Amino acid sequence: MVGSSHEAMHRIFQKDPALLTRALQQVLQIPFPEPHDFAGMNVDLTEIEPIERRVDTLLRAETDEGAYLLVVESQGKPDERKRGSWPYYLSYLYEKYRCEPVLIVVTQNSATARWAAEPIHLGVRGCPSLTVRPFVLGPDNVPVIAKASEAERDVPLAVLSAMTHGRGRQAPAILESLAAALRTIDRDSAAVFVQFVDSCLADTQARKMWRDMMTAIQYFWRHPLAEEVREEGREEGREEGREEGRAEALAETILRILRVRDIDVPDDVRARVEACRDLDQLIRWSERAVHAARADDLFALD
């Protein structure tokens, strides 16, 4: 089970290595050759003696131009020690495998992204012997995917979008679009992606909304994370049964989406949503809540 955003931000590329090259090509506009095979590699770069060094994720990408080593580092905040570690990682890997190493840093923080993107120069000032230029994926370049049709075209990229941008006013549209897209893939992959997103949602309200969505559509009841959600449901008095609990969760999700979007919810709208037990109707309302200008817009097409 993924226990932190740090783990999720790099392990998504273990789940779908091709997402990493798509990010290099499409997001960062780097002419990286198209891989025809990937292999996970040992992340331990420790020598026989004393200093332990491990990268977060290490993948070998086979292309028509030769093999590349893709080093993925998840970075929560600036850490000057990394400015010594990253050149070491690349030099060590090149010496050991004689493959071109590529450093990709992923982060949820814009300030950290700017810090990580700064070139690392070692040697004489103005004439360095070694320069390392990390490629960075963060809030300023990972696309915001807030439409279900876009999310369905590339579900792993939509997951990365939710992991990177899942906070603030745009969170409801991003999470709702991803929830719809997860219906189009196999349940085991969906369960893994659900956990990645859950681990990265630092905003309490967004995380609650996401868990309500996932509980209501039963994407991850076989997953370890589900037990935590079940316990929360029991504490909130959802013993009435699965159908009742799903309806309550969806109703609360609809109202939470409107609150996050700063839309006033009159008492009559709240009462109608909370009283509804038609799951199909609630799902339609939840989809409308993402784009509604007023609370009454939920019912405009009924």
Side-chain angles (χ1 to χ4, degrees):
M1 179 174 176
V2 178
S4 69
S5 61
H6 175 93
E7 287 293 302
M9 288 298 289
H10 70 87
R11 283 180 56 182
I12 185 176
F13 300 111
Q14 297 176 15
K15 170 64 178 171
D16 188 343
L19 171 63
L20 189 55
T21 53
R22 291 200 299 280
L24 288 171
Q25 296 164 346
Q26 299 171 21
V27 178
L28 299 178
Q29 302 296 308
I30 295 168
F32 191 85
E34 194 66 38
H36 47 73
D37 190 29
F38 287 97
M41 300 183 68
N42 190 342
V43 299
D44 192 344
L45 308 186
T46 307
E47 293 287 4
I48 295 176
E49 282 300 323
I51 300 176
E52 180 178 306
R53 298 183 188 270
R54 294 176 184 271
V55 298
D56 288 333
T57 285
L58 179 60
L59 300 168
R60 181 183 177 110
E62 299 290 344
T63 78
D64 291 338
E65 298 178 10
Y68 287 84
L69 300 179
L70 305 178
V71 183
V72 184
E73 285 282 281
S74 175
Q75 197 68 29
K77 60 184 180 180
D79 181 355
E80 288 305 317
R81 291 177 299 177
K82 287 294 185 180
R83 303 193 75 78
S85 296
W86 289 340
Y88 170 85
Y89 293 165
L90 301 187
S91 299
Y92 176 90
L93 289 169
Y94 181 77
E95 174 62 23
K96 182 173 182 177
Y97 296 106
R98 290 297 168 177
C99 296
E100 299 293 342
V102 180
L103 175 63
I104 303 100
V105 180
V106 290
T107 181
Q108 296 173 285
N109 183 276
S110 293
T112 302
R114 291 191 293 272
W115 166 83
E118 286 293 320
I120 302 167
H121 301 294
L122 302 180
V124 178
R125 183 173 300 179
C127 189
S129 298
L130 175 65
T131 297
V132 174
R133 300 180 184 276
F135 299 137
V136 181
L137 295 170
D140 296 332
N141 56 17
V142 171
V144 174
I145 299 180
K147 295 182 179 179
S149 57
E150 295 178 3
E152 290 172 11
R153 282 198 294 270
D154 193 336
V155 176
L157 185 60
V159 174
L160 182 62
S161 175
M163 292 163 61
T164 306
H165 300 288
R167 65 182 66 193
R169 293 175 61 87
Q170 59 195 351
I174 293 172
L175 297 178
E176 183 73 29
S177 299
L178 177 58
L182 288 175
R183 298 188 183 102
T184 67
I185 65 175
D186 67 276
R187 292 177 64 87
D188 288 338
S189 292
V192 174
F193 288 145
V194 164
Q195 189 189 2
F196 285 158
V197 174
D198 187 89
S199 298
C200 289
L201 292 176
D203 183 273
T204 303
Q205 200 168 32
R207 179 184 255 195
K208 175 63 174 171
M209 180 172 62
W210 177 245
R211 290 187 171 191
D212 285 348
M213 288 180 185
M214 296 300 100
T215 303
I217 54 182
Q218 295 180 312
Y219 272 142
F220 65 132
W221 283 98
R222 293 176 294 163
H223 204 278
L225 181 61
E227 183 55 39
E228 186 176 341
V229 177
R230 289 193 192 97
E231 187 59 34
E232 289 177 359
R234 285 192 287 269
E235 292 172 358
E236 294 168 6
R238 294 180 180 171
E239 295 88 349
E240 294 85 355
R242 179 172 295 181
E243 291 298 308
E244 183 78 10
R246 291 178 68 196
E248 289 181 8
L250 262 177
E252 178 57 30
T253 295
I254 293 166
L255 298 174
R256 184 174 288 108
I257 290 172
L258 294 175
R259 286 199 301 271
V260 170
R261 299 186 61 224
D262 294 329
I263 294 176
D264 183 61
V265 181
D267 290 342
D268 61 327
V269 172
R270 178 183 300 277
R272 183 173 175 181
V273 171
E274 291 178 342
C276 183
R277 289 298 177 265
D278 183 333
L279 293 177
D280 290 336
Q281 180 67 77
L282 287 165
I283 289 172
R284 286 194 293 273
W285 288 348
S286 71
E287 292 170 348
R288 293 173 193 169
V290 174
H291 305 289
R294 301 179 306 124
D296 289 341
D297 291 347
L298 294 181
F299 318 125
L301 300 178
D302 295 341

